[in-house]
Amino acid sequence: QKEVEQNSGPLSVPEGAIASLNCTYSDRGSQSFFWYRQYSGKSPELIMFIYSNGDKEDGRFTAQLNKASQYVSLLIRDSQPSDSATYLCAVNPDTSNTGKLIFGQGTTLQVKP
Amino acid sequence: DAGVTQSPTHLIKTRGQQVTLRCSPKSGHDTVSWYQQALGQGPQFIFQYYEEEERQRGNFPDRFSGHQFPNYSSELNVNALLLGDSALYLCASSVRGQGIQPQHFGDGTRLSIL
């Protein structure tokens, strides 16, 4: 079983719709969770992070965490063509907050005009 | 405010050669982590340096080694290159401290092994 799992997609949504990206993780002791966006040929760019159960909102982005279900998601409201990218879920399994990140393989999002 | 910088951007080597990749962390950051990203995959953790010491290591052979300098910059060395080492090598920096300290990535070095 992979430590962090994401559906590779592609996930295709029309412009203006809500895109929902999902991630599950295997280490129940994981402390913090990150979403990165990666455009083709570029490096990952941090979108947001979450460490408490519930929702965290930042502009059009909402991260949701459910530690009991070992599930984290990212919602993108009012999706734009510029949101088309690969979204990487990353988990820090350690109590040290600057420890290694374990990444999923990423979900490719396509936002169609 | 300069972000994480990596050099070179691209590199072509042949099997058996050795390579050194370089990274300067974001201003104010003291911790450097290195990742390998194969095409179509998520980044894989190689190791992390703090206070000039390797603090954590992923599942990579001893051919992969590193160093951190007093100014917090870092090098990744790979010996006896294999075709499978072809990948994007990413450096990420962060601050070791209280609370969540997210890692910020440089643009990466794309290494091709012929």
Side-chain angles (χ1 to χ4, degrees), chain A residues 36 38 43 94 97-100, chain B residues 35 37 48 56 95 99 103 106:
Chain A
Y36 286 85
Q38 187 172 29
S43 64
D94 304 319
N97 286 319
T98 58
K100 67 180 181 182
Chain B
Y35 293 82
Q37 186 175 24
Q48 183 183 82
Q56 286 188 301
V95 178
Q103 297 181 22

Side-chain angles (χ1 to χ4, degrees), chain A residues 2 8 31-34 36 38 41-46 49-51 86 88 92 94 96-106, chain B residues 31 33 35 37 40-45 48 56-58 88 90 94-108 110:
Chain A
K2 290 184 180 178
S8 60
Q31 298 291 314
S32 50
F33 308 86
F34 303 80
Y36 286 85
Q38 187 172 29
K42 301 295 184 181
S43 64
E45 172 192 10
L46 179 69
F49 59 88
I50 188 169
Y51 58 91
T86 296
L88 296 163
N92 183 342
D94 304 319
S96 162
N97 286 319
T98 58
K100 67 180 181 182
L101 294 178
I102 300 174
F103 284 84
Q105 71 175 75
Chain B
T31 301
S33 302
Y35 293 82
Q37 186 175 24
Q41 302 297 316
Q44 279 197 291
F45 177 78
Q48 183 183 82
Q56 286 188 301
R57 188 177 184 93
L88 178 66
L90 295 162
S94 55
V95 178
R96 185 169 289 267
Q98 302 269 345
I100 305 293
Q101 302 294 343
Q103 297 181 22
H104 297 267
F105 286 86
D107 288 337
R110 188 162 298 281

Side-chain angles (χ1 to χ4, degrees), chain A residues 15-53:
Chain A
E15 183 175 356
I18 296 175
S20 178
L21 305 160
N22 306 312
C23 171
T24 58
Y25 59 95
S26 60
D27 187 340
R28 188 170 288 278
S30 296
Q31 298 291 314
S32 50
F33 308 86
F34 303 80
W35 283 100
Y36 286 85
R37 176 175 62 197
Q38 187 172 29
Y39 292 112
S40 181
K42 301 295 184 181
S43 64
E45 172 192 10
L46 179 69
I47 299 174
M48 61 192 307
F49 59 88
I50 188 169
Y51 58 91
S52 298
N53 275 331

Side-chain angles (χ1 to χ4, degrees), chain B residues 27-103:
Chain B
S27 178
H29 286 190
D30 56 9
T31 301
V32 173
S33 302
W34 287 92
Y35 293 82
Q36 179 195 67
Q37 186 175 24
L39 204 59
Q41 302 297 316
Q44 279 197 291
F45 177 78
I46 303 175
F47 42 55
Q48 183 183 82
Y49 277 84
Y50 171 67
E51 290 187 334
E52 302 178 49
E53 288 189 17
E54 182 182 295
R55 300 292 177 168
Q56 286 188 301
R57 188 177 184 93
N59 188 25
F60 279 80
D62 291 345
R63 297 187 298 109
F64 289 77
S65 64
H67 190 77
Q68 186 180 34
F69 300 94
N71 66 353
Y72 309 119
S73 67
S74 177
E75 288 182 349
L76 164 65
N77 301 294
V78 187
N79 294 323
L81 287 166
L82 304 173
L83 292 178
D85 295 332
S86 294
L88 178 66
Y89 288 84
L90 295 162
C91 169
S93 72
S94 55
V95 178
R96 185 169 289 267
Q98 302 269 345
I100 305 293
Q101 302 294 343
Q103 297 181 22

